[in-house]
Amino acid sequence: DQQVKQNSPSLSVQEGRISILNCDYTNSMFDYFLWYKKYPAEGPTFLISISSIKDKNEDGRFTVFLNKSAKHLSLHIVPSQPGDSAVYFCAARGEGGNTGKLIFGQGTTLQVKP
Amino acid sequence: KAGVTQTPRYLIKTRGQQVTLSCSPISGHRSVSWYQQTPGQGLQFLFEYFSETQRNKGNFPGRFSGRQFSNSRSEMNVSTLELGDSALYLCASKGAAMNTEAFFGQGTRLTVV
């Protein structure tokens, strides 16, 4: 039962353009969402998060949007840079309050072409 | 401030053997979680320890176990290794505040032959 889904395994964009990565979830009890970036053979690096009481959170080139009614969130990267090329994981905090448990999507590989 | 440290970075074991992986969290973090990453299954939650107690558990067989010490360092043990246990094992630590991110170590690459 995949509670967090990233339906696009890969995305390719041109340098300077916008990258939009999408994520869907099924459990309406999820109340905190995170995006991580990962390079091969390394641990994920935190990018940005959003609480379910908000619909948008921005940090520099990264913006996360949350649509609770659609159970959908997206990560926008503007402008995209070649160094952004990596695998991006969407994650939801597990139920039960302040837990360290994260439920991850399958990841989307982003390639930014110079 | 030192990050999350996992040892060893690489490990090769034979089927049937057991293995112990270690994780030192960020100083002050009491929550430590373990994940398995494989090409087909993505990042899957194994278990979480908080103040030496298992707080959450994922859907893995009993061959996978863990523990946490009083200094918050954690170990994960896999007994009777199978070829399918070959994966990147990641540890993450989290602070006490409610809506904060988990910080990951670089992982231990386990290969079972």
Side-chain angles (χ1 to χ4, degrees):
Chain A
D1 179 25
Q2 191 74 22
Q3 296 189 74
V4 178
K5 298 178 185 178
Q6 294 175 256
N7 292 316
S8 298
S10 63
L11 175 68
S12 182
V13 300
Q14 209 64 37
E15 181 179 6
R17 305 294 292 270
I18 184 171
S19 295
I20 300 176
L21 296 98
N22 294 303
C23 178
D24 297 297
Y25 61 97
T26 57
N27 191 335
S28 58
M29 298 300 290
F30 289 156
D31 62 358
Y32 186 61
F33 304 88
L34 308 91
W35 284 92
Y36 283 85
K37 173 181 178 181
K38 188 180 184 300
Y39 296 112
E42 291 186 11
T45 302
F46 171 74
L47 279 174
I48 192 168
S49 63
I50 188 165
S51 164
S52 60
I53 63 173
K54 295 185 175 182
D55 54 19
K56 176 183 174 181
N57 189 26
E58 196 171 350
D59 184 1
R61 296 187 298 115
F62 302 92
T63 303
V64 56
F65 295 91
L66 175 62
N67 182 333
K68 283 190 295 182
S69 60
K71 296 192 183 69
H72 177 85
L73 62 157
S74 61
L75 174 68
H76 293 210
I77 306 174
V78 183
S80 300
Q81 300 172 352
D84 295 330
S85 297
V87 180
Y88 288 77
F89 288 95
C90 162
R93 180 173 63 195
E95 294 180 63
N98 192 12
T99 172
K101 176 182 178 180
L102 297 175
I103 300 163
F104 283 88
Q106 295 292 86
T108 297
T109 301
L110 173 65
Q111 183 186 29
V112 180
K113 298 179 179 177
Chain B
K1 197 173 187 181
V4 178
T5 304
Q6 290 187 247
T7 56
R9 288 293 311 278
Y10 303 93
L11 209 47
I12 299 175
K13 289 286 187 179
T14 304
R15 270 182 303 174
Q17 287 187 312
Q18 73 163 10
V19 67
T20 299
L21 312 181
S22 180
C23 173
S24 293
I26 289 172
S27 178
H29 287 188
R30 290 156 63 191
S31 166
V32 175
S33 296
W34 289 88
Y35 296 84
Q36 180 195 65
Q37 187 186 19
T38 56
Q41 298 296 320
L43 273 155
Q44 295 207 296
F45 172 78
L46 280 153
F47 30 65
E48 178 196 10
Y49 284 87
F50 181 84
S51 293
E52 302 179 64
T53 301
Q54 189 178 86
R55 184 157 74 171
N56 279 295
K57 189 176 187 308
N59 296 322
F60 279 81
R63 300 186 297 108
F64 292 82
S65 63
R67 59 178 175 168
Q68 188 179 34
F69 301 96
S70 58
N71 62 357
S72 293
R73 189 178 71 86
S74 177
E75 287 182 349
M76 186 192 117
N77 185 276
V78 188
S79 62
T80 320
L81 284 165
E82 301 176 359
L83 294 178
D85 297 333
S86 295
L88 180 67
Y89 289 89
L90 292 158
C91 161
S93 77
K94 180 185 169 313
M98 183 70 172
N99 289 343
T100 56
E101 67 272 26
F103 294 86
F104 283 82
Q106 290 194 292
T108 294
R109 169 68 64 184
L110 171 65
T111 303
V112 183
V113 297

